[in-house]
């Protein structure tokens, strides 16, 4: 006993400085990453993919073939009102259904087949049928993300309303003096003829969290892998006798088994891979079996879940092995801090600032969530995110192995061996 009271360590400046710098930087980074990514999605939006469909068959007006749908799609495509915020993709109804069903579109605007005939009927220039107010249909896609779908809905609705007003001006000019003969309600309708209806372009089951279950399921997998890495790293160190293991009032210690850093990572990685089978199973049981999450392709979902936990966990183990204690902070930033805002879930990538779009290209949560979304919402189609998910997980695993074993091998060759904990008398457990 040296007679120094433990609380005197609070007088040590290095303790305050180191703790203050680490916690302060962490707080600042999380604020910037989380708030900065979502502070102005509409302002940062660029090239949000939205479908534009002209199914209008046109009609003969005064002996001339007219297609108002083509006029609408051309004017929207050429309009500079939205700048580069929306990427209008002209396609047919079959294509837009397929793209919505792969999450590649956040919404669509559809001009129906009878649009011209219904519109011109309002002027009295055609004699076929009873005049019916034409409609423009806005399709949403919550499966691609509720915020992105909302942004697309706003853009398509505004475009549809503007198109209706433009057509109204043309119809008003065409009718000329005949307007005086029309009822007041008819003249008002003529000025803004098209009704805008909103439909779900890719409906989801009721237990799909409005398109967010894929994100939260993927987040659960990544968090399981990251936190399990911390547990496994500690347990391996304890099993090798390098650290104590405090269990309540007891301090457990095992005899030292000397291991190189490379060997230690290999042991921890093997344990992580094996336990991922258990964790992946339990995550799926909890989400699907207990909570009732809508899901199909269950064998594939289980395999993908196991792989995602294993890759995330081995990646976190690598960071812990290379950086030591700060490795957990690095892992938290990589797998949570930078990952959640760039996951293409709560906020679409097209509505993020440029720096976050760059992060989204390789951040693990985005890749994993894309594969889960494909399995849950898009019938496990490869080009709906599943292929990218598998490929990027394989790349991530290879990068972790090369980086981890490469750096740790260099540590071992340089003689930077780990310093084992002081061994106590041969007892399995002694009071702290």
């Amino acid at each position: 006993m040296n007679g120094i009271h433990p609380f005197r360590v609070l007088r040590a400046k290095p303790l305050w400085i180191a703790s203050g710098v680490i916690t302060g930087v962490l707080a600042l980074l999380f604020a910037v990453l989380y708030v900065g990514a979502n502070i102005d999605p509409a302002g940062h939006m660029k090239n949000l993919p939205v479908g534009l469909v002209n199914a209008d068959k046109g009609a003969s007006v005064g002996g001339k073939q007219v297609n108002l749908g083509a006029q609408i799609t051309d004017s929207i495509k050429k309009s500079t009102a939205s700048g580069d915020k929306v990427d209008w993709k002209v396609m047919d109804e079959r294509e837009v259904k397929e793209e919505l069903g792969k999450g590649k579109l956040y919404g669509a605007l559809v001009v129906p087949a009878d649009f011209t005939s219904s519109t011109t009927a309002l002027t009295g220039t055609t004699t076929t049928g009873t005049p019916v107010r034409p409609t423009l249909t806005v399709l949403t896609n919550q499966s691609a993300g509720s915020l992105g779908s909302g942004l697309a809905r706003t853009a398509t609705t505004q475009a549809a309303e503007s198109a209706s007003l433009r057509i109204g001006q043309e119809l008003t000019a065409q009718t000329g003096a005949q307007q005086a003969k029309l009822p007041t309600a008819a003249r008002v309708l003529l000025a803004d003829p098209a009704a805008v209806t909103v439909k779900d372009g890719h409906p989801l089951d009721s237990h799909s969290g409005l398109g967010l279950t894929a994100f939260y399921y993927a987040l659960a997998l990544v968090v399981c892998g990251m936190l399990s890495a911390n547990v496994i790293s500690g347990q391996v160190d304890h099993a090798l006798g390098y650290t104590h293991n405090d269990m309540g009032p007891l301090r457990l210690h095992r005899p030292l088994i000397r291991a190189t850093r490379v060997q230690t990572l290999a042991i921890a990685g093997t344990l992580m891979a094996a336990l991922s089978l258990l964790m992946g199973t339990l995550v799926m049981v909890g989400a699907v079996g207990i909570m009732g999450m809508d899901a199909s392709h269950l064998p594939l979902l289980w395999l993908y879940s196991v792989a995602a936990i294993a890759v995330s966990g081995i990646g976190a183990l690598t960071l812990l092995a290379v950086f030591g204690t700060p490795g957990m902070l690095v892992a938290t930033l990589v797998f949570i801090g930078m990952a959640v805002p760039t996951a293409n879930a709560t906020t679409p990538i097209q509505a993020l600032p440029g720096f976050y779009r760059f992060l989204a290209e390789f951040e693990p949560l985005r890749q994993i969530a894309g594969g889960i979304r494909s399995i849950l919402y898009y019938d496990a189609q490869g080009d709906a995110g599943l292929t990218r998910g598998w490929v990027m997980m394989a790349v991530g695993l290879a990068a972790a192995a090369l980086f981890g074993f490469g750096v740790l091998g260099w540590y071992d060759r340089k003689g930077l061996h780990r310093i084992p904990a002081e061994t106590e008398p041969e007892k399995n457990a002694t009071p702290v």
Side-chain angles (χ1 to χ4, degrees):
M1 300 292 291
N2 54 18
I4 299 177
H5 196 281
F7 279 94
R8 291 194 65 180
V9 299
L10 291 174
R11 298 182 181 180
K13 290 183 179 180
L15 175 64
W16 287 95
I17 293 173
S19 300
V21 168
I22 294 172
T23 56
V25 169
L26 206 60
L28 179 62
L29 285 176
F30 266 83
V32 169
L33 290 170
Y34 276 53
V35 179
N38 299 284
I39 201 167
D40 186 16
H44 290 119
M45 189 168 71
K46 183 177 182 180
N47 295 328
L48 188 77
V50 178
L52 189 57
V53 178
N54 175 31
D56 189 9
K57 296 180 179 179
S60 179
V61 181
K64 181 181 179 181
Q65 187 68 19
V66 176
N67 191 306
L68 295 178
Q71 294 180 25
I72 290 175
T73 54
D74 288 344
S75 64
I76 291 176
K77 187 71 176 175
K78 296 176 182 177
S79 174
T80 59
S82 61
D84 61 352
K85 292 183 179 297
V86 177
D87 181 13
W88 296 103
K89 297 182 178 295
V90 179
M91 53 185 66
D92 59 33
E93 290 182 287
R94 178 187 61 81
E95 290 173 329
V96 81
K97 184 177 180 180
E98 290 179 354
E99 296 295 281
L100 288 170
K102 294 178 181 179
K104 294 185 177 182
L105 295 177
Y106 286 94
L109 176 61
V110 179
V111 182
D114 62 346
F115 186 78
T116 298
S117 58
S118 297
T119 302
T120 54
L122 298 176
T123 66
T125 57
T126 60
T127 58
T128 58
T130 303
V132 177
R133 189 179 187 187
T135 61
L136 294 172
T137 303
V138 170
L139 299 178
T140 60
N141 191 8
Q142 280 194 333
S143 67
S146 54
L147 179 56
S149 179
L151 291 170
R153 175 177 176 171
T154 300
T156 49
T157 300
Q158 291 175 346
E161 291 172 347
S162 297
S164 177
L165 292 174
R166 284 195 300 271
I167 292 174
Q169 292 174 351
E170 295 177 8
L171 294 177
T172 300
Q174 290 173 8
T175 55
Q178 296 180 6
Q179 286 189 68
K181 302 177 182 180
L182 297 175
T184 302
R187 291 199 298 270
V188 173
L189 181 60
L190 200 63
D192 186 11
V196 179
T197 61
V198 179
K199 296 181 180 179
D200 193 342
H202 184 70
L204 296 175
D205 294 326
S206 59
H207 289 184
S208 296
L210 301 178
L212 285 175
T213 50
F215 166 68
Y216 286 113
Y217 189 94
L219 182 60
L221 299 177
V222 172
V223 170
C224 281
M226 186 191 72
L227 295 182
S228 297
N230 194 43
V231 173
I232 289 173
S233 178
Q235 291 300 311
V236 169
D237 283 347
H238 171 60
L240 293 173
Y242 278 84
T243 61
H244 300 293
N245 191 8
D246 290 337
M247 300 291 290
L250 301 178
R251 169 161 291 178
L252 306 178
H253 183 66
R254 294 181 181 275
L256 177 64
I257 303 175
R258 295 192 178 276
T260 65
R261 293 177 181 271
V262 168
Q263 290 171 336
T264 303
L265 179 59
I267 293 169
T270 302
L271 192 59
M272 173 62 73
L275 292 179
S276 294
L277 297 169
L278 172 65
M279 289 185 284
T281 301
L282 293 179
V283 168
M284 195 171 80
V285 167
V288 180
I290 298 177
M291 302 310 299
M293 181 184 78
D294 288 317
S296 57
H297 305 282
L298 294 184
L300 178 59
L301 179 62
W302 174 82
L303 180 62
Y304 193 89
S305 300
V306 170
I309 291 176
V311 171
S312 300
I314 292 173
L317 282 171
T318 298
L319 295 174
L320 285 168
V322 170
F323 296 108
T325 302
M328 195 59 196
L329 298 178
V330 177
T332 301
L333 286 174
V334 171
F335 291 100
I336 303 297
M338 295 187 294
V340 172
T342 59
N344 198 31
T346 54
T347 304
I349 292 175
Q350 294 82 0
L352 294 174
F355 171 69
Y356 298 87
R357 295 181 198 179
F358 167 73
L359 290 179
E361 292 301 315
F362 57 85
E363 269 295 326
L365 183 56
R366 185 260 176 117
Q367 326 306 328
I368 293 172
I372 295 294
R373 185 180 287 113
S374 174
I375 295 171
L376 294 183
Y377 307 152
Y378 305 135
D379 199 28
Q381 297 178 83
D383 57 349
L386 185 57
T387 299
R388 179 188 175 95
W390 281 120
V391 170
M392 292 302 289
M393 281 199 293
V395 170
L397 182 61
L402 290 172
F403 175 65
F405 289 118
V407 173
L408 296 180
W410 181 80
Y411 288 170
D412 287 336
R413 289 192 300 272
K414 290 293 183 179
L416 302 174
H417 302 302
R418 305 180 68 199
I419 301 175
E422 292 182 2
T423 56
E424 297 177 355
E426 293 190 20
K427 294 182 180 178
N428 290 329
T430 59
V432 175

